[in-house]
Structures are given as structure tokens and as C-alpha cells.
Amino acid sequence: LRYANRQFTRYHKGQKDTQIKKISTTRSRPLLIHKMVQKQKSIILDLDGTLLDITKRWYILHLDLAKKYQFKPYDQKIYVSLKRQRIQEKQIMEGKLPTRILQQYLKKREALIESEYYLSFDRLKPKAVRLITRLSANHYLYLTTSRTNTRILNKQLTQMNIRKYFTKVVTGNSLKNREKKLRDIIKSKPAQYFLIGDSERDYKLARNLKIKSILVCDGSRSKKSILKLKPDAIFDKISDLNEKYSKVFN
């Protein structure tokens, strides 16, 4: 019996989505039984705005740059509202800085937005970890982000204790680049995938990959902007997916 158990374990070693559990025999000795556990549809999750609240990072950087370039900063609610309406940073700042200084401002902002200091202001959204934990029990999870500094990204994910939930993290500022990487993962099974995001870029990514899109309205885009896109499903908050889990993913 011990020999049979060893042979059985060796044969199935390395296979994914499997579970081995013990049952008692008539001789009260353990017998290993191989049970296939079929994971359900895979889920691609956007990071910034979907799982993380990044509005404080946006605004703290705006305040610091206001000191550097000596302009009067926007009120926080107004600045965040403008960003969530899909108004580009250049347009937001055109009335506050001359053209030459504006170009310096934009370059400086781009250089700092992913720095460790400003990323420290990011916060996981309420119940986001609960949702990730629940999803990872039944689905393969992939994380996607437009960030480019993978070292700092992985450090942040590790500090937040969420890196362990994701099979792979797909990065790249270029949408085409991320699309290519995700297409290699999806291959010929788009019906088995969902994408959960918070912006027009996430919607476009899902559409190009021919997978279902779920967008939340508490991220980097307003509900009005999200409604115009007409994704497969819309939720006010990422936490709402906890309540609708069975209807959405089963």
C-alpha cells in the first residue's frame, strides 16, 4: 500500500488544479485518492483605480508640484473630479502654467507618479482583499497595470500582501503590449476569461481580447464615463462584487 501511494503521488506530481486527500481504508490506513478540482473562469484584474484608491497619490503630487512650479493648486475634490472625467493633465493645467513650464511640469509628474514615495499613499479599497481571496479560491487571477517599474510594483504588492493571489502580473504602458501578453495567456479560450477594470483602457483591452468586461465606478473614471462605454456589467464599487459573486461568476 505504501508503494502504491508513492507511485500514485509521483505520477501526479506537478499537475495543476489537483487536490490529494486521505480517506480511511478497512485497515485504518491512509489511501491517497486523486480528485480533480476544476477551477472556473479566469479573471484579469486591473490594479490602479480598481483595487487601489489612487486619488490621494494624485493630489499629494499635485500639491508638491504646485510648490515647485509656484501655482495655486486645485481644491482636492475639483482636481479629482476633473481627472475622473477623462480630462488629460495637460488640459487641467493649461490655465495655470505657461507652455514652456507646463511641459516641464508634465515630464516631472510622469517621472514621479510611480515613485515609491507617492505610491505609499495608495490604499486598498474596502473589502478588496476579501474579494481577491474569494476569487482566488475558484479562479486563476491575473493582474494587469500600465505601470512600467516592475521592481517598485512588486514591492508594493508584497507589502500589501496581495502578490500571492495572482498567477501572473502583466505590465506595460502600451495597451498593445499588454494585449499581446494577455493574448498569450488566453490563447484560444476567450470565453473562459473576465476582465475587471475601471476605465476606457480596460474596456478597450477586454474588447480587443474578445473577453467579458466588468467595470467599477469608484475608480479613475466617473460613473457617467463608464456608462458611455457599455461594458458587459457595471458596479458602483468593487466591494459590490462580493454580494453579486454567484450571479456574475457562476
Side-chain angles (χ1 to χ4, degrees):
L1 183 58
R2 291 195 190 107
Y3 175 79
N5 283 339
R6 285 199 301 272
Q7 290 297 98
F8 188 89
T9 304
R10 188 180 298 116
Y11 178 78
H12 290 283
K13 187 177 181 181
Q15 290 192 9
K16 294 181 179 179
D17 308 328
T18 61
Q19 202 175 51
I20 296 176
K21 66 177 185 179
K22 294 182 179 180
I23 65 170
S24 297
T25 67
T26 53
R27 295 184 180 180
S28 300
R29 290 185 180 182
L31 175 65
L32 292 175
I33 298 296
H34 183 263
K35 181 182 177 182
M36 296 298 297
V37 177
Q38 182 66 45
K39 283 210 172 186
Q40 298 172 17
K41 299 183 179 184
S42 299
I43 298 170
I44 301 166
L45 280 152
D46 172 61
L47 177 63
D48 292 332
T50 304
L51 296 177
L52 300 184
D53 182 349
I54 59 173
T55 55
K56 190 173 182 179
R57 188 207 323 170
W58 281 350
Y59 194 64
I60 295 294
L61 178 54
H62 178 69
L63 291 178
D64 289 348
L65 291 175
K67 293 176 185 176
K68 179 177 177 62
Y69 294 103
Q70 298 182 341
F71 63 84
K72 184 179 179 181
Y74 282 98
D75 173 79
Q76 183 172 359
K77 287 185 178 180
I78 293 174
Y79 180 74
V80 171
S81 176
L82 292 170
K83 296 288 288 180
R84 296 187 75 238
Q85 290 174 50
R86 295 180 60 181
I87 300 175
Q88 297 297 314
E89 190 72 21
K90 183 179 179 180
Q91 291 177 270
I92 293 173
M93 296 303 301
E94 276 178 344
K96 290 187 173 287
L97 293 170
T99 303
R100 183 177 61 82
I101 303 299
L102 176 58
Q103 293 304 316
Q104 294 177 18
Y105 167 92
L106 294 173
K107 287 182 180 179
K108 191 68 174 176
R109 184 181 185 279
E110 185 178 357
L112 293 174
I113 193 68
E114 289 185 26
S115 65
E116 288 190 59
Y117 172 72
Y118 289 105
L119 286 172
S120 68
F121 294 102
D122 289 350
R123 293 292 180 269
L124 278 162
K125 290 185 179 179
K127 300 182 181 179
V129 173
R130 179 182 171 188
L131 176 64
I132 297 170
T133 304
R134 189 174 185 181
L135 290 174
S136 66
N138 299 305
H139 310 272
Y140 291 114
L141 300 187
Y142 299 90
L143 189 67
T144 181
T145 174
S146 60
R147 296 195 207 170
T148 55
N149 192 320
T150 55
R151 181 188 65 81
I152 295 177
L153 169 63
N154 282 315
K155 183 176 180 180
Q156 184 187 36
L157 295 176
T158 302
Q159 288 174 340
M160 290 182 169
N161 201 27
I162 60 172
R163 177 62 184 87
K164 61 187 178 183
Y165 295 108
F166 298 98
T167 302
K168 190 171 183 177
V169 178
V170 178
T171 62
N173 189 43
S174 165
L175 198 65
K176 286 187 177 180
N177 181 262
R178 281 192 288 152
E179 182 184 328
K180 183 179 181 299
K181 292 177 182 178
L182 288 169
R183 200 176 293 282
D184 290 339
I185 293 170
I186 295 170
K187 295 180 180 177
S188 60
K189 298 180 179 179
Q192 297 297 314
Y193 286 81
F194 287 86
L195 188 147
I196 303 173
D198 71 318
S199 71
E200 67 284 352
R201 284 169 65 89
D202 299 322
Y203 170 75
K204 186 176 180 180
L205 184 59
R207 186 187 63 189
N208 291 351
L209 292 169
K210 294 181 172 59
I211 63 177
K212 290 184 178 180
S213 57
I214 299 171
L215 298 185
V216 295
C217 302
D218 64 339
S220 60
R221 295 293 180 261
S222 65
K223 187 170 185 176
K224 185 178 179 180
S225 299
I226 296 296
L227 288 170
K228 289 179 182 178
L229 297 171
K230 298 180 180 179
D232 294 293
I234 297 175
F235 289 89
D236 286 336
K237 304 184 294 294
I238 189 71
S239 57
D240 291 344
L241 280 163
N242 277 309
E243 299 171 12
K244 304 292 184 180
Y245 174 87
S246 299
K247 290 184 179 179
V248 175
F249 300 110
N250 290 339

